[in-house]
Amino acid sequence: MRSRVLRDIKARQLLADNELSRQAYRYITRNETLPARVRHQAQLALNNMPKQSSQTFVHNRCVATGHGQGILREFKLCRFQFRLKALNGELPGVKKSSW
């Protein structure tokens, strides 16, 4: 497997593991009714979390080739693999248009 695919898998796993605590810390830091000290401590805890556990580190990749550009979200395939699989009839409900 390519290193970028492995890195993306790791980022997705870290995101799933830390998602709940990250949301709680973000809620606390944005809640203006709480004291400033509590909000500051929550912000420091957020800063100490792993960098790759952030949503911005997850990048859509083709599940067939690992390609990172031209991804169709619904099928998780790059445009070239989508075309090949659609022409071979491997994608249910998709067929080549003609007019």
Side-chain angles (χ1 to χ4, degrees):
M1 234 180 205
R2 297 161 85 179
S3 62
R4 291 191 181 192
V5 175
L6 294 175
R7 190 182 316 154
D8 190 57
I9 290 171
K10 181 182 175 186
R12 287 178 190 273
Q13 186 63 40
L14 274 171
L15 177 68
D17 292 344
N18 296 319
E19 183 178 15
L20 194 60
S21 59
R22 182 175 284 278
Q23 283 181 351
Y25 285 137
R26 287 181 68 206
Y27 173 76
I28 292 170
T29 57
R30 293 177 181 178
N31 189 352
E32 294 183 2
T33 61
L34 294 174
R37 183 175 182 190
V38 173
R39 294 173 57 204
H40 183 69
Q41 287 175 344
Q43 183 63 49
L44 289 176
L46 245 175
N47 292 344
N48 289 333
M49 292 184 87
K51 185 170 70 169
Q52 285 188 340
S53 66
S54 174
Q55 178 101 27
T56 57
F57 274 84
V58 174
H59 188 74
N60 288 337
R61 293 200 163 270
C62 177
V63 293
T65 61
H67 192 66
Q69 292 181 331
I71 306 299
L72 298 166
R73 289 182 188 169
E74 187 176 344
F75 299 98
K76 297 182 183 176
L77 294 170
C78 62
R79 55 190 174 80
F80 184 68
Q81 290 297 317
F82 175 79
R83 182 177 186 275
L84 290 178
K85 290 182 185 284
L87 289 176
N88 292 336
E90 298 174 16
L91 298 175
V94 177
K95 68 177 192 175
K96 186 170 176 2
S97 64
S98 61
W99 61 90

